[in-house]
Amino acid sequence: LKTLVDHPGPHPSRGLLALGSGELGRGSFPSGHAVRGTTMAFGTALLARATRRPPALAIAAGYAALLAWTLLYLNWHWTSDVIGGVLLGIAATSVVAAVPAVAWRTSG
């Protein structure tokens, strides 16, 4: 998406380091920070046992909100970049969480 959309970020001198593999894309949309952070938070919350899941989901939502605010405060991304990243992270987590349920239904 970064290469396809090629939406510049608010801070032009910021580069994206990808562990020696070069730039993943010059674009800022969607925020990779928001995608990874949201996916990690909600994925961890979904791994919690059913009795602890509601508080874990609330903590994950708080973490994602704090991460989004931090990215905007530090002027690393535009608001649209962060919203897109959070939504993509939630969608990715939802798809991965749905796979075992679908596989169980089709095999039984």
Coordinates of all heavy atoms in Angstrom, one line a residue:
L1 N 0.8 -1.2 0.0 CA 0.0 0.0 0.0 C 0.9 1.3 0.0 O 0.5 2.2 -0.6 CB -0.9 0.0 1.2 CG -2.2 -0.9 1.2 CD1 -2.9 -0.9 2.5 CD2 -3.1 -0.4 0.1
K2 N 2.0 1.2 0.7 CA 2.8 2.4 0.8 C 3.3 2.8 -0.6 O 3.3 4.0 -1.0 CB 4.0 2.2 1.7 CG 3.7 2.2 3.1 CD 4.9 2.1 4.0 CE 4.6 2.1 5.4 NZ 4.2 3.4 5.9
T3 N 3.7 1.8 -1.4 CA 4.2 2.1 -2.8 C 3.1 2.5 -3.7 O 3.2 3.4 -4.5 CB 4.9 0.9 -3.3 OG1 5.9 0.5 -2.4 CG2 5.6 1.1 -4.7
L4 N 1.9 1.9 -3.5 CA 0.8 2.1 -4.4 C 0.2 3.5 -4.1 O 0.0 4.3 -5.1 CB -0.3 1.1 -4.1 CG -1.6 1.2 -5.0 CD1 -1.3 0.9 -6.4 CD2 -2.6 0.2 -4.5
V5 N 0.1 3.9 -2.9 CA -0.5 5.2 -2.6 C 0.5 6.3 -2.7 O 0.2 7.4 -3.1 CB -1.2 5.1 -1.1 CG1 -1.7 6.5 -0.8 CG2 -2.3 4.1 -1.1
D6 N 1.7 6.1 -2.2 CA 2.8 7.0 -2.2 C 2.4 8.4 -1.7 O 2.6 9.4 -2.3 CB 3.4 7.2 -3.6 CG 4.8 7.8 -3.6 OD1 5.5 7.7 -2.6 OD2 5.1 8.4 -4.6
H7 N 1.9 8.3 -0.5 CA 1.4 9.5 0.2 C 2.5 10.1 1.1 O 2.9 9.3 2.1 CB 0.2 9.2 1.1 CG -0.4 10.3 1.8 ND1 -0.2 10.5 3.1 CD2 -1.2 11.4 1.4 CE1 -0.9 11.6 3.5 NE2 -1.5 12.1 2.5
P8 N 3.1 11.2 0.9 CA 4.2 11.7 1.7 C 3.8 12.0 3.1 O 2.7 12.5 3.4 CB 4.7 13.0 1.0 CG 3.5 13.4 0.2 CD 2.7 12.2 -0.1
G9 N 4.7 11.8 4.1 CA 4.4 12.1 5.5 C 4.7 13.5 5.8 O 5.2 14.3 5.0
P10 N 4.3 13.9 7.0 CA 4.5 15.3 7.4 C 6.0 15.7 7.7 O 6.3 16.8 7.6 CB 3.7 15.4 8.7 CG 3.7 14.0 9.3 CD 3.7 13.1 8.1
H11 N 6.9 14.7 7.9 CA 8.3 15.0 8.2 C 9.1 14.5 7.0 O 9.4 13.3 7.0 CB 8.6 14.3 9.5 CG 9.9 14.8 10.1 ND1 11.1 14.4 9.7 CD2 10.1 15.8 11.0 CE1 12.1 15.0 10.4 NE2 11.5 15.9 11.2
P12 N 9.5 15.4 6.1 CA 10.2 14.9 4.9 C 11.6 14.3 5.1 O 12.0 13.5 4.2 CB 10.3 16.2 4.0 CG 10.2 17.3 5.0 CD 9.4 16.8 6.1
S13 N 12.3 14.6 6.2 CA 13.6 14.1 6.3 C 13.6 12.7 7.0 O 14.7 12.1 7.1 CB 14.5 15.1 7.1 OG 13.9 15.1 8.4
R14 N 12.4 12.2 7.3 CA 12.4 10.9 8.0 C 12.5 9.8 7.0 O 11.9 9.8 6.0 CB 11.0 10.8 8.7 CG 10.8 9.5 9.4 CD 9.5 9.5 10.2 NE 8.3 9.7 9.3 CZ 7.7 8.7 8.6 NH1 8.1 7.5 8.8 NH2 6.7 9.0 7.9
G15 N 13.4 8.8 7.3 CA 13.5 7.7 6.4 C 13.0 6.4 7.1 O 12.8 6.4 8.3
L16 N 12.8 5.4 6.3 CA 12.3 4.1 6.9 C 13.4 3.1 6.8 O 13.8 2.7 5.7 CB 11.1 3.7 6.1 CG 10.4 2.4 6.5 CD1 9.9 2.5 7.9 CD2 9.3 2.0 5.6
L17 N 13.9 2.6 7.9 CA 14.9 1.7 8.0 C 14.3 0.3 8.1 O 13.5 0.0 9.0 CB 15.8 1.9 9.2 CG 17.0 1.0 9.4 CD1 18.0 1.0 8.3 CD2 17.7 1.3 10.7
A18 N 14.7 -0.6 7.2 CA 14.1 -2.0 7.2 C 15.2 -3.0 7.4 O 15.3 -4.0 6.6 CB 13.3 -2.2 5.9
L19 N 16.0 -2.9 8.4 CA 17.1 -3.8 8.8 C 18.0 -4.2 7.6 O 18.2 -5.4 7.3 CB 16.4 -5.1 9.4 CG 15.6 -4.9 10.7 CD1 14.9 -6.2 11.1 CD2 16.5 -4.3 11.8
G20 N 18.5 -3.2 6.9 CA 19.4 -3.4 5.9 C 18.8 -3.7 4.5 O 19.6 -3.8 3.6
S21 N 17.5 -3.9 4.4 CA 16.9 -4.2 3.1 C 16.5 -3.0 2.4 O 15.9 -3.1 1.3 CB 15.8 -5.2 3.3 OG 14.7 -4.6 4.0
G22 N 16.8 -1.8 2.9 CA 16.4 -0.6 2.1 C 15.0 -0.1 2.5 O 14.4 -0.7 3.4
E23 N 14.6 0.9 1.8 CA 13.3 1.5 2.1 C 12.2 0.6 1.6 O 12.2 0.1 0.5 CB 13.2 2.8 1.4 CG 13.0 4.0 2.3 CD 12.9 5.3 1.6 OE1 12.2 5.4 0.6 OE2 13.6 6.2 2.1
L24 N 11.1 0.4 2.4 CA 10.0 -0.3 2.0 C 9.1 0.5 1.1 O 8.3 0.0 0.3 CB 9.2 -0.8 3.2 CG 9.9 -1.8 4.1 CD1 9.0 -2.1 5.3 CD2 10.1 -3.1 3.4
G25 N 9.1 1.8 1.3 CA 8.3 2.7 0.5 C 8.5 4.1 1.0 O 8.7 4.3 2.2
R26 N 8.3 5.0 0.1 CA 8.5 6.4 0.5 C 7.2 6.9 1.2 O 7.2 7.9 1.8 CB 8.9 7.3 -0.7 CG 10.2 6.9 -1.3 CD 10.4 7.8 -2.5 NE 9.2 7.8 -3.3 CZ 9.0 8.7 -4.3 NH1 9.9 9.6 -4.5 NH2 7.9 8.6 -5.0
G27 N 6.1 6.2 0.9 CA 4.8 6.7 1.4 C 4.7 6.6 2.9 O 5.4 5.9 3.6
S28 N 3.7 7.3 3.3 CA 3.4 7.4 4.8 C 2.1 6.7 5.1 O 1.8 6.4 6.3 CB 3.3 8.8 5.2 OG 2.9 9.0 6.5
F29 N 1.3 6.3 4.1 CA 0.0 5.7 4.3 C 0.0 4.2 3.9 O 0.5 3.9 2.8 CB -1.1 6.4 3.5 CG -2.5 5.8 3.7 CD1 -3.2 6.2 4.8 CD2 -3.0 4.8 2.9 CE1 -4.5 5.6 5.0 CE2 -4.2 4.2 3.1 CZ -5.0 4.7 4.1
P30 N -0.4 3.3 4.7 CA -0.8 3.5 6.1 C 0.4 3.4 7.0 O 1.4 3.0 6.6 CB -1.7 2.2 6.3 CG -1.1 1.2 5.4 CD -0.6 1.9 4.2
S31 N 0.2 3.9 8.2 CA 1.3 3.9 9.2 C 1.7 2.5 9.6 O 0.9 1.7 10.2 CB 0.9 4.7 10.4 OG 1.8 4.4 11.5
G32 N 2.9 2.1 9.2 CA 3.3 0.7 9.6 C 3.5 0.6 11.1 O 3.2 -0.5 11.7
H33 N 3.8 1.7 11.8 CA 3.9 1.7 13.3 C 2.5 1.3 13.8 O 2.4 0.5 14.7 CB 4.3 3.0 13.8 CG 5.7 3.4 13.4 ND1 5.9 4.3 12.4 CD2 6.9 3.1 13.9 CE1 7.2 4.5 12.2 NE2 7.8 3.8 13.1
A34 N 1.5 2.0 13.3 CA 0.1 1.7 13.8 C -0.4 0.3 13.5 O -1.0 -0.3 14.3 CB -0.9 2.8 13.3
V35 N -0.1 -0.2 12.3 CA -0.5 -1.5 11.9 C 0.2 -2.5 12.8 O -0.5 -3.4 13.4 CB -0.1 -1.8 10.4 CG1 -0.3 -3.3 10.1 CG2 -0.9 -1.0 9.5
R36 N 1.5 -2.5 13.0 CA 2.2 -3.4 13.8 C 1.8 -3.4 15.3 O 1.5 -4.4 16.0 CB 3.7 -3.3 13.7 CG 4.2 -3.7 12.4 CD 5.7 -3.7 12.3 NE 6.3 -2.3 12.5 CZ 6.5 -1.4 11.6 NH1 6.1 -1.7 10.3 NH2 7.0 -0.2 11.8
G37 N 1.7 -2.1 15.8 CA 1.3 -2.0 17.2 C -0.1 -2.5 17.5 O -0.4 -3.1 18.5
T38 N -1.1 -2.1 16.6 CA -2.5 -2.5 16.8 C -2.6 -4.0 16.7 O -3.3 -4.7 17.5 CB -3.4 -1.8 15.8 OG1 -3.2 -0.4 15.9 CG2 -4.8 -2.2 16.0
T39 N -1.9 -4.6 15.7 CA -2.0 -6.1 15.5 C -1.4 -6.8 16.7 O -1.9 -7.8 17.2 CB -1.2 -6.5 14.2 OG1 -1.8 -5.8 13.1 CG2 -1.3 -8.0 14.0
M40 N -0.3 -6.3 17.2 CA 0.4 -6.9 18.4 C -0.5 -6.8 19.6 O -0.7 -7.8 20.3 CB 1.7 -6.2 18.7 CG 2.5 -6.9 19.8 SD 2.8 -6.0 21.3 CE 2.3 -4.4 21.1
A41 N -1.1 -5.7 19.8 CA -2.0 -5.5 21.0 C -3.2 -6.3 21.0 O -3.5 -7.0 21.9 CB -2.3 -4.0 21.2
F42 N -4.0 -6.3 19.9 CA -5.2 -7.0 19.8 C -4.9 -8.5 19.7 O -5.7 -9.4 20.1 CB -6.1 -6.5 18.7 CG -6.8 -5.3 19.1 CD1 -6.3 -4.0 18.7 CD2 -8.0 -5.3 19.8 CE1 -7.0 -2.9 19.1 CE2 -8.6 -4.2 20.2 CZ -8.1 -2.9 19.9
G43 N -3.9 -8.9 19.0 CA -3.5 -10.3 18.9 C -3.2 -10.9 20.3 O -3.6 -12.0 20.6
T44 N -2.5 -10.1 21.1 CA -2.2 -10.6 22.4 C -3.4 -10.7 23.3 O -3.6 -11.6 24.0 CB -1.1 -9.6 23.1 OG1 0.0 -9.6 22.3 CG2 -0.8 -10.1 24.5
A45 N -4.3 -9.7 23.1 CA -5.6 -9.7 23.8 C -6.4 -11.0 23.5 O -7.1 -11.6 24.3 CB -6.4 -8.5 23.6
L46 N -6.4 -11.3 22.2 CA -7.2 -12.5 21.8 C -6.6 -13.8 22.3 O -7.3 -14.8 22.4 CB -7.3 -12.5 20.2 CG -8.2 -11.4 19.7 CD1 -8.2 -11.5 18.1 CD2 -9.6 -11.5 20.2
L47 N -5.4 -13.8 22.6 CA -4.7 -15.0 23.1 C -5.1 -15.2 24.6 O -4.9 -16.3 25.1 CB -3.2 -15.0 23.0 CG -2.7 -15.1 21.5 CD1 -1.2 -14.9 21.5 CD2 -3.1 -16.5 21.0
A48 N -5.6 -14.2 25.2 CA -6.0 -14.3 26.6 C -7.1 -15.3 26.8 O -7.9 -15.4 25.9 CB -6.4 -12.9 27.2
R49 N -7.2 -15.9 27.9 CA -8.3 -16.9 28.1 C -9.6 -16.1 28.1 O -9.7 -14.9 28.3 CB -8.1 -17.6 29.4 CG -7.0 -18.6 29.4 CD -6.9 -19.4 30.6 NE -6.8 -18.6 31.8 CZ -6.7 -19.0 33.0 NH1 -6.7 -20.3 33.3 NH2 -6.5 -18.2 34.0
A50 N -10.7 -16.8 27.8 CA -12.0 -16.2 27.7 C -12.4 -15.4 28.9 O -13.1 -14.4 28.8 CB -13.0 -17.3 27.4
T51 N -12.0 -15.8 30.1 CA -12.4 -15.1 31.3 C -11.6 -13.7 31.4 O -12.1 -12.8 32.1 CB -12.1 -15.9 32.6 OG1 -10.7 -16.3 32.6 CG2 -12.9 -17.2 32.6
R52 N -10.5 -13.6 30.8 CA -9.7 -12.4 30.9 C -9.8 -11.6 29.6 O -9.1 -10.5 29.5 CB -8.3 -12.7 31.2 CG -8.1 -13.3 32.6 CD -6.6 -13.5 32.9 NE -6.4 -14.2 34.1 CZ -5.4 -14.9 34.4 NH1 -4.4 -15.0 33.5 NH2 -5.3 -15.6 35.5
R53 N -10.6 -12.0 28.7 CA -10.5 -11.3 27.4 C -11.1 -9.9 27.4 O -10.5 -9.0 26.8 CB -11.3 -12.1 26.3 CG -11.0 -11.6 24.9 CD -11.4 -12.6 23.9 NE -10.4 -13.7 23.9 CZ -10.7 -14.8 23.3 NH1 -11.8 -15.1 22.7 NH2 -9.8 -15.8 23.3
P54 N -12.2 -9.6 28.1 CA -12.7 -8.2 28.1 C -11.7 -7.2 28.6 O -11.5 -6.1 28.0 CB -14.0 -8.2 28.9 CG -14.5 -9.7 28.7 CD -13.2 -10.5 28.6
P55 N -11.1 -7.4 29.8 CA -10.1 -6.4 30.2 C -8.9 -6.4 29.3 O -8.3 -5.3 29.0 CB -9.6 -7.0 31.6 CG -10.7 -7.9 32.0 CD -11.3 -8.4 30.8
A56 N -8.5 -7.5 28.7 CA -7.4 -7.5 27.8 C -7.7 -6.7 26.5 O -6.9 -6.0 26.0 CB -7.0 -8.9 27.4
L57 N -8.9 -6.8 26.0 CA -9.3 -6.0 24.9 C -9.4 -4.5 25.2 O -9.0 -3.7 24.3 CB -10.7 -6.5 24.3 CG -10.7 -7.8 23.6 CD1 -12.1 -8.2 23.3 CD2 -9.9 -7.8 22.4
A58 N -9.8 -4.2 26.4 CA -9.8 -2.7 26.8 C -8.3 -2.2 26.9 O -8.1 -1.1 26.5 CB -10.5 -2.6 28.2
I59 N -7.4 -3.0 27.4 CA -6.0 -2.6 27.5 C -5.5 -2.4 26.1 O -4.7 -1.5 25.8 CB -5.2 -3.6 28.3 CG1 -5.7 -3.5 29.8 CG2 -3.7 -3.4 28.2 CD1 -5.1 -4.6 30.7
A60 N -5.8 -3.4 25.2 CA -5.3 -3.3 23.8 C -5.8 -2.0 23.1 O -5.1 -1.4 22.4 CB -5.7 -4.5 23.0
A61 N -7.1 -1.7 23.3 CA -7.7 -0.5 22.7 C -7.0 0.8 23.3 O -6.7 1.7 22.6 CB -9.2 -0.4 23.0
G62 N -6.7 0.8 24.6 CA -6.0 1.9 25.2 C -4.6 2.0 24.6 O -4.1 3.1 24.4
Y63 N -3.9 0.9 24.5 CA -2.5 0.9 23.9 C -2.6 1.4 22.5 O -1.7 2.3 22.1 CB -1.9 -0.5 23.9 CG -0.6 -0.6 23.2 CD1 0.6 -0.2 23.9 CD2 -0.5 -1.0 21.9 CE1 1.8 -0.2 23.3 CE2 0.7 -1.1 21.3 CZ 1.9 -0.7 22.0 OH 3.1 -0.7 21.3
A64 N -3.5 1.0 21.6 CA -3.6 1.5 20.3 C -3.9 2.9 20.2 O -3.4 3.7 19.4 CB -4.7 0.7 19.5
A65 N -4.8 3.4 21.1 CA -5.1 4.9 21.2 C -3.9 5.7 21.6 O -3.6 6.7 21.0 CB -6.3 5.1 22.1
L66 N -3.1 5.2 22.6 CA -1.9 5.9 23.0 C -0.9 5.9 21.9 O -0.2 6.9 21.7 CB -1.4 5.3 24.3 CG -0.2 5.9 24.9 CD1 -0.5 7.3 25.3 CD2 0.3 5.1 26.1
L67 N -0.7 4.8 21.2 CA 0.2 4.7 20.1 C -0.2 5.7 19.0 O 0.7 6.4 18.5 CB 0.3 3.3 19.6 CG 1.1 3.1 18.3 CD1 2.6 3.3 18.6 CD2 0.9 1.7 17.8
A68 N -1.5 5.7 18.7 CA -1.9 6.7 17.6 C -1.7 8.1 18.0 O -1.2 8.9 17.2 CB -3.4 6.4 17.4
W69 N -2.0 8.4 19.3 CA -1.7 9.8 19.7 C -0.2 10.2 19.7 O 0.1 11.2 19.3 CB -2.3 10.0 21.2 CG -2.0 11.4 21.7 CD1 -2.8 12.5 21.5 CD2 -0.9 11.8 22.5 NE1 -2.2 13.5 22.1 CE2 -1.1 13.2 22.8 CE3 0.2 11.1 23.1 CZ2 -0.2 13.9 23.5 CZ3 1.0 11.9 23.8 CH2 0.9 13.2 24.1
T70 N 0.6 9.2 20.1 CA 2.1 9.4 20.1 C 2.6 9.7 18.6 O 3.4 10.6 18.4 CB 2.8 8.2 20.7 OG1 2.3 8.1 22.0 CG2 4.3 8.5 20.7
L71 N 2.1 8.9 17.7 CA 2.5 9.1 16.3 C 2.1 10.4 15.8 O 2.9 11.1 15.0 CB 2.0 8.0 15.4 CG 2.5 6.6 15.7 CD1 1.7 5.5 14.9 CD2 4.0 6.5 15.3
L72 N 1.0 10.9 16.2 CA 0.5 12.2 15.7 C 1.3 13.3 16.5 O 1.7 14.3 15.9 CB -1.0 12.4 16.0 CG -1.9 11.5 15.1 CD1 -3.3 11.6 15.6 CD2 -1.7 11.8 13.7
Y73 N 1.5 13.2 17.8 CA 2.2 14.2 18.6 C 3.6 14.4 18.1 O 4.1 15.5 18.0 CB 2.2 13.7 20.0 CG 2.9 14.7 20.9 CD1 2.3 15.9 21.3 CD2 4.2 14.4 21.4 CE1 3.0 16.8 22.1 CE2 4.9 15.3 22.2 CZ 4.3 16.5 22.6 OH 5.0 17.4 23.4
L74 N 4.3 13.2 17.8 CA 5.7 13.3 17.3 C 5.8 13.8 15.8 O 6.9 13.9 15.3 CB 6.4 12.0 17.5 CG 6.6 11.5 18.9 CD1 7.2 10.1 19.0 CD2 7.5 12.5 19.6
N75 N 4.6 14.0 15.2 CA 4.6 14.4 13.8 C 5.2 13.4 12.8 O 5.9 13.8 11.9 CB 5.2 15.8 13.7 CG 4.7 16.5 12.4 OD1 3.6 16.3 12.0 ND2 5.6 17.4 11.9
W76 N 5.1 12.1 13.1 CA 5.6 11.1 12.2 C 4.6 10.8 11.1 O 5.0 10.3 10.1 CB 5.9 9.9 13.0 CG 7.2 9.9 13.8 CD1 8.0 11.1 14.0 CD2 7.9 8.9 14.5 NE1 9.0 10.8 14.8 CE2 9.0 9.4 15.1 CE3 7.6 7.5 14.6 CZ2 9.9 8.7 15.8 CZ3 8.5 6.8 15.4 CH2 9.6 7.3 16.0
H77 N 3.3 10.9 11.4 CA 2.3 10.6 10.4 C 1.2 11.6 10.4 O 1.0 12.2 11.4 CB 1.8 9.2 10.7 CG 2.7 8.1 10.4 ND1 2.9 7.6 9.1 CD2 3.4 7.3 11.2 CE1 3.8 6.7 9.2 NE2 4.1 6.4 10.4
W78 N 0.4 11.6 9.3 CA -0.8 12.4 9.3 C -1.9 11.6 10.0 O -1.8 10.3 10.2 CB -1.2 12.6 7.9 CG -0.3 13.5 7.1 CD1 0.5 13.0 6.0 CD2 0.0 14.8 7.2 NE1 1.3 14.0 5.5 CE2 1.0 15.2 6.2 CE3 -0.4 15.8 8.1 CZ2 1.5 16.5 6.1 CZ3 0.1 17.1 8.0 CH2 1.1 17.4 7.0
T79 N -3.0 12.2 10.4 CA -4.1 11.5 11.0 C -4.6 10.4 10.1 O -4.9 9.3 10.6 CB -5.2 12.5 11.4 OG1 -4.6 13.6 12.1 CG2 -6.3 11.9 12.1
S80 N -4.8 10.7 8.9 CA -5.3 9.6 7.9 C -4.4 8.4 7.9 O -4.8 7.3 7.8 CB -5.5 10.2 6.5 OG -4.2 10.7 6.0
D81 N -3.1 8.6 8.0 CA -2.1 7.5 8.0 C -2.3 6.6 9.2 O -2.3 5.4 9.1 CB -0.7 8.0 8.0 CG -0.3 8.9 6.9 OD1 -1.0 8.9 5.8 OD2 0.6 9.7 7.0
V82 N -2.5 7.3 10.4 CA -2.7 6.5 11.6 C -4.0 5.8 11.7 O -4.1 4.6 12.0 CB -2.5 7.5 12.8 CG1 -2.8 6.8 14.1 CG2 -1.1 8.1 12.9
I83 N -5.1 6.5 11.2 CA -6.4 5.8 11.2 C -6.4 4.6 10.3 O -6.9 3.5 10.6 CB -7.5 6.8 10.8 CG1 -7.7 7.8 11.9 CG2 -8.8 6.1 10.5 CD1 -8.6 9.0 11.6
G84 N -5.8 4.8 9.1 CA -5.7 3.7 8.2 C -4.9 2.5 8.7 O -5.2 1.4 8.6
G85 N -3.8 2.8 9.4 CA -2.9 1.8 10.0 C -3.7 1.0 11.1 O -3.6 -0.2 11.2
V86 N -4.4 1.8 12.0 CA -5.1 1.1 13.1 C -6.2 0.2 12.5 O -6.4 -0.9 12.9 CB -5.7 2.2 14.0 CG1 -6.7 1.5 15.0 CG2 -4.6 2.8 14.8
L87 N -7.0 0.7 11.5 CA -8.0 -0.1 10.9 C -7.5 -1.3 10.2 O -8.0 -2.4 10.2 CB -8.8 0.8 9.9 CG -9.7 1.9 10.5 CD1 -10.4 2.7 9.5 CD2 -10.7 1.3 11.5
L88 N -6.3 -1.2 9.5 CA -5.7 -2.3 8.9 C -5.2 -3.3 9.9 O -5.3 -4.5 9.7 CB -4.5 -1.8 8.0 CG -3.9 -2.9 7.1 CD1 -4.9 -3.5 6.1 CD2 -2.7 -2.3 6.3
G89 N -4.7 -2.9 11.0 CA -4.2 -3.7 12.1 C -5.4 -4.5 12.7 O -5.3 -5.7 12.9
I90 N -6.5 -3.8 12.9 CA -7.7 -4.5 13.4 C -8.2 -5.5 12.4 O -8.6 -6.6 12.8 CB -8.8 -3.5 13.8 CG1 -8.3 -2.7 15.0 CG2 -10.1 -4.2 14.1 CD1 -9.2 -1.5 15.4
A91 N -8.3 -5.2 11.1 CA -8.7 -6.1 10.1 C -7.8 -7.3 10.0 O -8.3 -8.5 9.9 CB -8.8 -5.4 8.7
A92 N -6.5 -7.1 10.1 CA -5.6 -8.3 10.0 C -5.8 -9.2 11.2 O -5.8 -10.4 11.1 CB -4.1 -7.8 10.0
T93 N -5.9 -8.6 12.4 CA -6.1 -9.4 13.6 C -7.5 -10.2 13.5 O -7.5 -11.3 13.9 CB -6.2 -8.5 14.9 OG1 -4.9 -7.8 14.9 CG2 -6.2 -9.3 16.1
S94 N -8.5 -9.5 13.0 CA -9.8 -10.2 12.9 C -9.7 -11.4 11.9 O -10.3 -12.4 12.1 CB -10.9 -9.2 12.4 OG -11.0 -8.1 13.3
V95 N -9.0 -11.2 10.8 CA -8.9 -12.3 9.8 C -8.2 -13.4 10.4 O -8.6 -14.6 10.3 CB -8.2 -11.8 8.5 CG1 -7.8 -12.9 7.6 CG2 -9.1 -10.8 7.8
V96 N -7.1 -13.2 11.1 CA -6.3 -14.3 11.7 C -7.1 -14.9 12.8 O -7.0 -16.2 12.9 CB -4.9 -13.7 12.2 CG1 -4.2 -14.8 13.0 CG2 -4.1 -13.3 11.0
A97 N -7.8 -14.2 13.5 CA -8.6 -14.8 14.6 C -9.8 -15.7 14.1 O -10.2 -16.6 14.7 CB -9.2 -13.7 15.5
A98 N -10.3 -15.3 12.9 CA -11.4 -16.1 12.3 C -10.9 -17.4 11.6 O -11.8 -18.2 11.4 CB -12.1 -15.2 11.3
V99 N -9.7 -17.5 11.3 CA -9.2 -18.7 10.5 C -9.4 -20.0 11.3 O -10.0 -20.9 10.8 CB -7.7 -18.5 10.1 CG1 -7.1 -19.8 9.6 CG2 -7.6 -17.4 9.0
P100 N -9.1 -20.1 12.6 CA -9.3 -21.3 13.3 C -10.8 -21.7 13.4 O -11.1 -22.9 13.3 CB -8.7 -21.1 14.7 CG -7.8 -20.0 14.6 CD -8.3 -19.1 13.4
A101 N -11.7 -20.7 13.6 CA -13.1 -21.0 13.6 C -13.6 -21.5 12.3 O -14.4 -22.5 12.3 CB -13.9 -19.8 14.0
V102 N -13.2 -21.0 11.2 CA -13.6 -21.4 9.9 C -13.0 -22.8 9.6 O -13.7 -23.7 9.1 CB -13.2 -20.4 8.8 CG1 -13.4 -20.9 7.4 CG2 -13.9 -19.1 9.0
A103 N -11.8 -23.0 9.9 CA -11.2 -24.3 9.7 C -11.8 -25.4 10.5 O -12.0 -26.5 10.1 CB -9.7 -24.3 10.0
W104 N -12.2 -25.1 11.7 CA -12.9 -26.1 12.6 C -14.3 -26.4 12.0 O -14.7 -27.6 12.0 CB -13.0 -25.5 14.0 CG -13.7 -26.5 14.9 CD1 -13.1 -27.5 15.5 CD2 -15.0 -26.4 15.4 NE1 -14.0 -28.2 16.3 CE2 -15.2 -27.5 16.3 CE3 -16.1 -25.6 15.2 CZ2 -16.4 -27.7 16.9 CZ3 -17.3 -25.8 15.8 CH2 -17.4 -26.9 16.7
R105 N -15.0 -25.4 11.5 CA -16.3 -25.7 11.0 C -16.3 -26.5 9.7 O -17.1 -27.4 9.5 CB -17.0 -24.4 10.7 CG -17.6 -23.7 11.9 CD -18.4 -22.5 11.5 NE -18.3 -21.5 12.6 CZ -18.2 -20.2 12.4 NH1 -18.1 -19.7 11.2 NH2 -18.1 -19.4 13.4
T106 N -15.3 -26.3 8.9 CA -15.2 -27.0 7.6 C -14.7 -28.4 7.8 O -15.0 -29.3 7.0 CB -14.4 -26.3 6.6 OG1 -13.1 -26.1 7.1 CG2 -15.0 -24.9 6.2
S107 N -13.9 -28.7 8.8 CA -13.3 -30.0 9.0 C -14.3 -30.9 9.8 O -14.1 -32.1 9.7 CB -12.0 -29.9 9.8 OG -12.2 -29.5 11.1
G108 N -15.2 -30.4 10.5 CA -16.1 -31.2 11.3 C -17.3 -31.6 10.6 O -17.9 -32.4 10.4

